[in-house]
Amino acid sequence: MLDLVGQPLTWTTGLIFAAYGVVLLLIILGFVTYAIYFERKVIGWMQGRYGPNRVGPLGLLQTVADVFKLLIKEDTIPRKADRELFILAPVLTFIPAFVVVATIPFTANLIHADLDVGLLYYVALSGISTLGMILGGWASNNKYALLGGMRSAAQMISYEVPLVISVIGVIMMTGTLNLHKIVEAQGDNFWNWNFLPQIVGFIVFVIAGVSELNRTPFDLPEAESELVAGYHVEYSGFRFAFFMLAEYVYVFAIASLTTVLFLGGWHAPFAFLAFIPGIVWFLLKFSFIVFFFFWIRATLPRIRIDQLMGLGWKVLLPLALLNIFITALYMGLTG
């Protein structure tokens, strides 16, 4: 296991740590580049369209061209904007998206930092991105951007509550916040994976996760028909790219976390399939979750803001709390 936490910092461990971080960063950037491509192709297929098919073979270089275009576009900052906060906001949104991936165990031996409070670490740092969205909207000195930033804060804080509470049942069953140990507790048996005994928590987690990603049908912060693109309306070029990049990195993070918490991580569904490498099982489950996010976007329309808030506070939060009580009752009767 690649875990350098607690070890003395030497040139060797430092270089290994840095090299692994760079490799992980490149993998995530590669995922983001082609997740956008596959999302456009999948949604196009579902809606009877072609999707990208011009730039490169099968349109594979379309996203590369889009990213290059953003990088070379003029960087504009509104004259009356708060310049320092305007520059800081995309960075504050972008960096936590990468940092939270450090505790995700992809296999039994492939993990960057095996923290005993890995799940708490993820929740604490992912919440920082909300500040970046608020700052981006406020610092732009634009009323539409400010409304988008405030709606982002309201939505993400509201759905952060049921998202966190929905995983308490998993923590109660496994007795740990360590993501690696949570996966180990599920084992090579489909029936022991947490999404079955924690089906209510699993459903709440997935719905709240989609909302945390600001994706359809919960993409109210970026409702271009109402807010002229929301909190990032004044951003252009690479600063705008930071916001979009952060969104897709969180898709990577949420899909990975769902796989780890509820779908057995790197474990095979049955013991006789355990000869297949764990990374293959992880990627299959991960890919299914990502495809589900794309499918939802292609299928459902955007909901109204009152429906959004009502679903979070009146439906998901009571269900998440009920799941805790049912889990406690079950453990008390069987333990």
Side-chain angles (χ1 to χ4, degrees):
M1 182 183 299
L2 183 53
D3 179 15
L4 303 179
V5 178
Q7 296 186 18
L9 183 61
T10 64
W11 282 106
T12 302
T13 56
L15 288 173
I16 294 174
F17 192 91
Y20 183 80
V22 170
V23 171
L24 186 60
L25 175 64
L26 293 175
I27 291 174
I28 294 174
L29 289 175
F31 164 80
V32 169
T33 301
Y34 285 98
I36 297 172
Y37 168 80
F38 282 112
E39 178 171 20
R40 295 172 67 181
K41 294 295 282 189
V42 167
I43 293 176
W45 169 66
M46 289 182 173
Q47 297 177 347
R49 297 182 287 105
Y50 287 109
N53 65 346
R54 297 285 181 176
V55 184
L58 303 177
L60 285 170
L61 297 180
Q62 179 64 60
T63 305
V64 177
D66 293 339
V67 171
F68 181 70
K69 178 191 72 173
L70 286 175
L71 293 178
I72 64 175
K73 284 185 71 173
E74 180 183 3
D75 176 33
T76 60
I77 299 178
R79 182 167 56 87
K80 294 187 178 181
D82 188 320
R83 185 178 181 86
E84 289 74 19
L85 294 181
F86 188 88
I87 294 172
L88 177 64
V91 179
L92 201 58
T93 304
F94 171 77
I95 291 179
F98 279 100
V99 176
V100 296
V101 180
T103 58
I104 299 293
F106 300 103
T107 69
N109 298 313
L110 185 57
I111 177 174
H112 193 234
D114 187 24
L115 302 182
D116 288 335
V117 290
L119 185 54
L120 181 62
Y121 169 90
Y122 180 99
V123 171
L125 288 183
S126 62
I128 296 176
S129 294
T130 307
L131 297 177
M133 296 178 183
I134 298 173
L135 282 180
W138 185 82
S140 297
N141 195 26
N142 179 300
K143 299 299 187 293
Y144 290 108
L146 178 60
L147 283 172
M150 297 307 293
R151 292 215 307 195
S152 297
Q155 174 176 332
M156 298 191 73
I157 292 173
S158 297
Y159 278 81
E160 189 84 24
V161 177
L163 182 78
V164 174
I165 294 178
S166 67
V167 302
I168 292 179
V170 173
I171 297 170
M172 293 168 65
M173 292 181 63
T174 56
T176 181
L177 288 166
N178 185 301
L179 294 175
H180 188 274
K181 293 179 180 177
I182 289 175
V183 178
E184 288 289 358
Q186 296 176 72
D188 291 323
N189 190 334
F190 176 81
W191 302 106
N192 290 335
W193 291 357
N194 289 329
F195 86 96
L196 288 174
Q198 289 292 311
I199 185 65
V200 175
F202 175 65
I203 293 172
V204 171
F205 182 86
V206 171
I207 296 175
V210 174
S211 181
E212 284 288 295
L213 295 171
N214 294 332
R215 294 180 60 83
T216 307
F218 305 117
D219 59 339
L220 271 297
E222 303 165 6
E224 67 282 349
S225 59
E226 305 168 31
L227 297 174
V228 201
Y231 61 90
H232 49 57
V233 65
E234 296 289 358
Y235 284 88
S236 65
F238 72 95
R239 299 190 201 280
F240 174 79
F242 273 7
F243 282 119
M244 293 298 98
L245 180 61
E247 178 181 325
Y248 277 91
V249 174
Y250 271 123
V251 169
F252 180 95
I254 286 288
S256 299
L257 191 63
T258 306
T259 302
V260 166
L261 292 177
F262 295 100
L263 301 180
W266 63 82
H267 288 298
F270 302 103
F272 68 88
L273 295 174
F275 68 92
I276 299 176
I279 190 64
V280 174
W281 291 115
F282 186 96
L283 291 176
L284 285 174
K285 300 168 190 176
F286 169 87
S287 300
F288 173 78
I289 297 295
V290 173
F291 173 78
F292 176 77
F293 290 154
F294 296 167
W295 184 9
I296 290 295
R297 181 173 180 179
T299 306
L300 298 180
R302 179 183 299 135
I303 64 176
R304 298 194 313 264
I305 185 65
D306 59 311
Q307 296 171 328
L308 173 79
M309 302 304 287
L311 176 64
W313 290 108
K314 297 179 181 178
V315 179
L316 297 186
L317 181 58
L319 283 176
L321 292 171
L322 179 63
N323 181 63
I324 294 176
F325 289 115
I326 293 175
T327 303
L329 181 63
Y330 172 78
M331 294 179 67
L333 293 176
T334 59

